[in-house]
């Protein structure tokens, strides 16, 4: 009698590398009407010392990524996206948690982002994680001149030990 073995989903987070750019571009094109270019990601990874980007893998396959700029004690989320086939399964939730934990680990006290005024799903996720609306950027998105809601959250202080299981760390 054959056993029905269910494969356990294994999620891992790691720092984005230049080799990840092709996967990231696929995710970018699935997620955004104004996707970033290969050159933009290459510049972020090689030239921008404030930039921190991570990959979320499921069973070894890149299914999401997130990025932020860390300036002084504030983190600014630049991008966060999950492959279309994996949406609605709480992966965005896990990715945002990891990004927030990493920002806290790096000494950030607050985090900010912009989100389309019409993107209620993302706004709901951000609010669930403690982000609050703080203003509007008029005509922020150049594809349709849509406004962006500016949101801010206070990050919890990182543990006194300086180690937090699961957080992405620079090597």
């Amino acid at each position: 009698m054959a056993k029905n073995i269910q494969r356990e989903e294994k999620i891992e987070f790691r720092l984005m590398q230049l080799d990840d750019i092709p996967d990231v571009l696929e995710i970018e094109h699935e997620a955004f009407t104004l996707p970033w270019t290969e050159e933009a990601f290459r510049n972020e990874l090689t030239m921008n010392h404030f930039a921190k980007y991570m990959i979320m893998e499921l069973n070894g396959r890149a299914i999401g990524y997130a990025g932020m700029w860390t300036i002084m004690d504030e983190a600014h989320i630049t991008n966060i996206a999950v492959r279309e086939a994996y949406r609605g399964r709480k992966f965005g939730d896990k990715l945002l948690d990891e990004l927030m934990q990493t920002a806290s680990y790096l000494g950030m006290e607050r985090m900010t982002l912009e989100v389309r005024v019409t993107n209620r799903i993302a706004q709901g996720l951000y609010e669930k994680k403690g982000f609050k609306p703080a203003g509007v950027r008029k005509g922020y998105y150049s594809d349709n001149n849509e406004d962006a809601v500016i949101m801010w959250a206070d990050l919890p202080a990182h543990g006194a030990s300086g180690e937090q299981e699961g957080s992405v760390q620079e090597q």
Side-chain angles (χ1 to χ4, degrees):
M1 190 165 164
K3 290 184 181 179
N4 184 3
I5 300 173
Q6 246 186 347
R7 186 170 155 176
E8 185 179 321
E9 292 185 334
K10 184 175 181 190
I11 298 173
E12 292 186 12
F13 298 92
R14 61 176 176 77
L15 293 176
M16 186 187 293
Q17 306 293 323
L18 289 172
D19 309 3
D20 294 314
I21 292 176
D23 283 333
V24 168
L25 289 174
E26 283 181 22
I27 298 166
E28 229 351 68
H29 281 82
E30 288 180 11
F32 301 114
T33 57
L34 288 171
W36 282 21
T37 64
E38 177 180 349
E39 182 182 7
F41 283 106
R42 189 170 297 282
N43 286 340
E44 286 291 282
L45 294 176
T46 60
M47 307 291 281
N48 185 348
H49 301 293
F50 300 109
K52 310 285 185 224
Y53 285 82
M54 68 175 62
I55 295 288
M56 178 174 58
E57 291 181 331
L58 176 64
N59 301 321
R61 179 174 188 240
I63 64 161
Y65 79 95
M68 64 182 161
W69 295 335
T70 55
I71 303 168
M72 303 294 284
D73 62 354
E74 296 178 352
H76 181 114
I77 296 177
T78 56
N79 315 58
I80 184 165
V82 173
R83 284 189 190 272
E84 196 169 11
Y86 294 90
R87 293 185 197 148
R89 295 170 52 187
K90 305 286 185 206
F91 289 116
D93 194 290
K94 290 174 173 56
L95 185 55
L96 183 55
D97 279 346
E98 188 69 21
L99 192 66
M100 292 175 79
Q101 286 176 14
T102 300
S104 179
Y105 172 82
L106 294 171
M108 303 298 107
E109 296 175 8
R110 293 173 29 110
M111 184 171 257
T112 187
L113 58 85
E114 290 90 8
V115 59
R116 288 180 185 267
V117 293
T118 57
N119 191 344
R120 302 282 185 227
I121 293 172
Q123 289 175 41
L125 170 62
Y126 300 140
E127 287 171 0
K128 186 171 99 173
K129 298 297 179 184
F131 284 84
K132 293 180 176 35
V136 172
R137 294 196 198 283
K138 295 285 186 192
Y140 184 76
Y141 294 97
S142 62
D143 62 333
N144 64 358
N145 212 33
E146 185 174 355
D147 297 344
V149 177
I150 305 163
M151 300 183 84
W152 283 90
D154 290 325
L155 295 170
H158 187 72
S161 70
E163 294 291 324
Q164 186 165 333
E165 187 176 340
S167 65
V168 174
Q169 299 177 22
E170 291 197 62
Q171 300 173 2

